[in-house]
Structures are given as structure tokens and as C-alpha cells.
Amino acid sequence: MALQGPEEVGEQVEEPEDLDDQDASSISPAEEITLPPGPGGEEEPEEAFLLPWDRFSSWLHCICVVGFDLELGQAVEVIYPHHSKLSEKEKTSICYLSFPDSNSGCLGDTQFCFRFRQGSNRKSSMGCFLENTDRDAPPCLKREQGHYYGYVYFRQVRDKSLKRGYFQKSLVLISKLPYVTFFHSLLKIMAPEYFEKQEPCLEAACNDIDRWPAPHPGRVLTLPIMGVVIKVRIPTCYDKPGTSQLVQSAQSDSLVSIVLPTIHEVDLFRCFYPVFFHIQMLWELVLLGEALVVMAPSPAESSETVLALVR
């Protein structure tokens, strides 16, 4: 994987709520637990005026399914929601980067991420609202203005009925948010369901996400997705380094399945342990914007190392 300064992180790192449905589900819709008044903890009245799919768009741009065929090549097979737009150049980038180029074989399931350039001449109708949600976010967690992140769950299994000899497909979440840990955890829930039940579960997942509150920094959120509830807190720029502000609440935790202590941090020690004695030189190269090539035993380790270098 290549890392070329601040312009390219690297090839592997490039409705209003329906109140009637709340009573029909055994799992409550997205519940927002606000912190006491303070930095990042105030109510945002703009959420009351969000349009259908605006909540989804505050988390994800779209969800893609990329198939890999020996004769046809790689192609974006499905995009959800169906109204989401991707340019041909963006689709090409997603197809190329969502396949883990590796000599390891990657049999089974593999997760990694990448970053790629956003097509030009695209404006968001939620610009002002998203600027408000980013207002108290740390610099490393603000939305990327000119890039998307792709979070990949790639499956490769032997299939003699296919000419290639393998079934190969990637489920990719496209977002402007660098919430690496969160989106990888989300994929671990969504992808196995998708590979078993196909497209209907993607539609259900999109509807669930469109009922989530926006990712405001400083708030603890419970986010239901496909029968599972994730509890997270979006950090703020006012947080003390090395501390966790995740609030424990017995009332809200009764239905919580997963509690994530962090939404974005990677294991720095695991990434840099093999090159620990060169850490000073790596820091200098990144600081000067020099080109680096990251080679690792797996796509996951490669992408995490690139993320660790640029953070």
C-alpha cells in the first residue's frame, strides 16, 4: 500500500422518525441520551426538520456490493439507498480498492478500509447541518470534504461452479466519517446477514440507520441495527486524551448488545511493534510528507498501519 503525504492516505485506507413503527418493534428505535449541558451536549433543533434519508446521509453516503468476476471483471452490483449517486470514476475507485490485493489468499472473511477522492461538482443539501454536527469534533474526526472512506467486508470462499474457482464479493460502506472501529463493528453485524439473506437485509439496515440520531460529538447514542443495539459516544475536542466518557445507564443498557469504548482508534502498539526501532524515522517521514509503502501480512493490518501513521 502506498502512502503519499496528506493528499492520499493510501490505497487501503482511500425521516423523520415513524412514530407508529416504534411500538411495533421489540427493539426501540434509535434512542439519544444527551449529556448534561456543556460543550457538545446541547439539543440541536435542526434535527426536527430533517427530511427522509437525511439521518442516513449524516452517517453514510451509501452501501455498495462489489462483485468480482473472472470474465466481466469487478463491478458495483448494488447501491443502497437506490437514489444514492456515485460517478463512474468513484465506482471505479471503489471496485479497485475493495479487492484485497494480497498473496495470503484471504480465504474466508477479511475487513479493511481505504480512502478515495470524491467526484467534483457535488454539493450536499445538508451542508449547514453537518457543519454544526462537526463543530465540536476533534480535528481527526471531522468529515472529509474532498474524500470518502470505504469500509470493506470481503468474503472469499472456494466455489468450483465458478470459473474463477472462488466466490468473491465485498460489502462496502461509503462514508465521510473516519469512524474506523465503529464501521468495522457495524459491518460484522450487517455482512454475515447480507451474505445469507442478500438484498432485503440491506434495505432493512438502511431503514434502521435512517432512524438514528445524527452523530453529534459529546452524546452517547444507542443505535439499533438488524436486531442488535450498539452503544457509542462521539468524542469532542474538549475531551481529555486517554479518557473514556461513555456514560453507563442501567435504563438504556437493558437492550444494548454492544458497547464500543472507541469509534475510531486503532491499536498503535500492534501496528508499530514490528517496526518499533524505526518509529522515529517513520514519524519524520510522515511529518515531511514523504512517500511510504506499507507492506503487511494482511489487508487489515496494512490499512490499520496507514491510519496509525497519519493520526
Side-chain angles (χ1 to χ4, degrees):
M1 176 187 311
L3 171 64
Q4 300 182 352
E7 286 301 314
E8 295 293 338
V9 170
E11 288 184 354
Q12 295 290 358
V13 212
E14 264 258 295
E15 309 178 335
E17 295 181 339
D18 188 345
L19 298 179
D20 293 335
D21 288 345
Q22 294 185 17
D23 298 330
S25 174
S26 60
I27 294 179
S28 61
E31 173 186 348
E32 184 174 343
I33 306 172
T34 57
L35 297 180
E42 300 88 353
E43 280 289 338
E44 295 290 345
E46 297 97 319
E47 282 200 42
F49 302 99
L50 292 180
L51 298 174
W53 296 110
D54 279 353
R55 293 176 184 269
F56 178 93
S57 297
S58 68
W59 290 90
L60 291 170
H61 177 68
C62 65
I63 300 173
C64 299
V65 177
V66 182
F68 306 95
D69 185 271
L70 184 62
E71 297 177 341
L72 301 178
Q74 59 267 39
V76 176
E77 298 178 347
V78 177
I79 299 177
Y80 271 94
H82 292 304
H83 64 265
S84 299
K85 302 295 184 183
L86 288 171
S87 68
E88 289 304 315
K89 187 174 182 180
E90 289 168 343
K91 290 180 181 178
T92 300
S93 296
I94 293 169
C95 288
Y96 174 73
L97 294 168
S98 61
F99 186 85
D101 289 325
S102 171
N103 290 328
S104 63
C106 296
L107 279 177
D109 298 338
T110 303
Q111 287 189 254
F112 59 95
C113 60
F114 59 85
R115 196 183 81 159
F116 65 100
R117 293 184 184 277
Q118 174 184 333
S120 58
N121 301 323
R122 178 178 296 154
K123 295 182 179 179
S124 171
S125 60
M126 301 174 61
C128 294
F129 173 74
L130 295 180
E131 285 180 9
N132 286 335
T133 63
D134 268 0
R135 183 178 52 202
D136 295 326
C140 66
L141 291 183
K142 291 185 183 293
R143 284 175 173 79
E144 289 276 356
Q145 295 304 314
H147 295 82
Y148 286 119
Y149 284 88
Y151 301 96
V152 182
Y153 193 106
F154 173 77
R155 174 165 289 186
Q156 176 171 270
V157 293
R158 294 186 183 277
D159 188 339
K160 294 182 179 180
S161 65
L162 300 176
K163 190 172 182 179
R164 195 170 195 151
Y166 293 92
F167 168 87
Q168 297 172 319
K169 191 163 289 191
S170 289
L171 181 64
V172 189
L173 306 182
I174 305 298
S175 175
K176 284 186 168 292
L177 295 171
Y179 297 173
V180 182
T181 306
F182 171 75
F183 284 120
H184 280 331
S185 299
L186 186 61
L187 275 171
K188 287 179 181 177
I189 298 169
M190 293 175 55
E193 289 288 320
Y194 164 72
F195 287 119
E196 180 181 347
K197 302 176 182 176
Q198 300 301 308
E199 292 184 30
C201 73
L202 292 185
E203 185 174 358
C206 289
N207 289 326
D208 283 344
I209 295 171
D210 194 45
R211 301 176 69 183
W212 291 359
H216 287 281
R219 297 186 182 179
V220 177
L221 310 174
T222 53
L223 309 173
I225 181 75
M226 303 176 73
V228 177
V229 179
I230 305 174
K231 181 176 181 180
V232 297
R233 178 185 181 272
I234 311 299
T236 76
C237 56
Y238 309 103
D239 294 346
K240 294 181 179 179
T243 61
S244 175
Q245 304 290 332
L246 196 57
V247 175
Q248 300 298 325
S249 172
Q251 180 181 0
S252 64
D253 284 355
S254 59
L255 294 175
V256 171
S257 308
I258 300 172
V259 177
L260 293 181
T262 178
I263 62 169
H264 69 288
E265 294 173 327
V266 296
D267 189 335
L268 296 179
F269 181 79
R270 184 181 66 182
C271 292
F272 293 135
Y273 175 74
V275 292
F276 181 76
F277 291 106
H278 305 289
I279 197 75
Q280 176 72 22
M281 181 182 65
L282 289 172
W283 178 77
E284 292 175 358
L285 290 172
V286 172
L287 192 63
L288 295 173
E290 296 291 338
L292 287 173
V293 175
V294 176
M295 300 179 68
S298 71
E301 291 178 65
S302 179
S303 62
E304 285 189 4
T305 301
V306 173
L307 285 170
L309 284 168
V310 299
R311 294 215 168 167

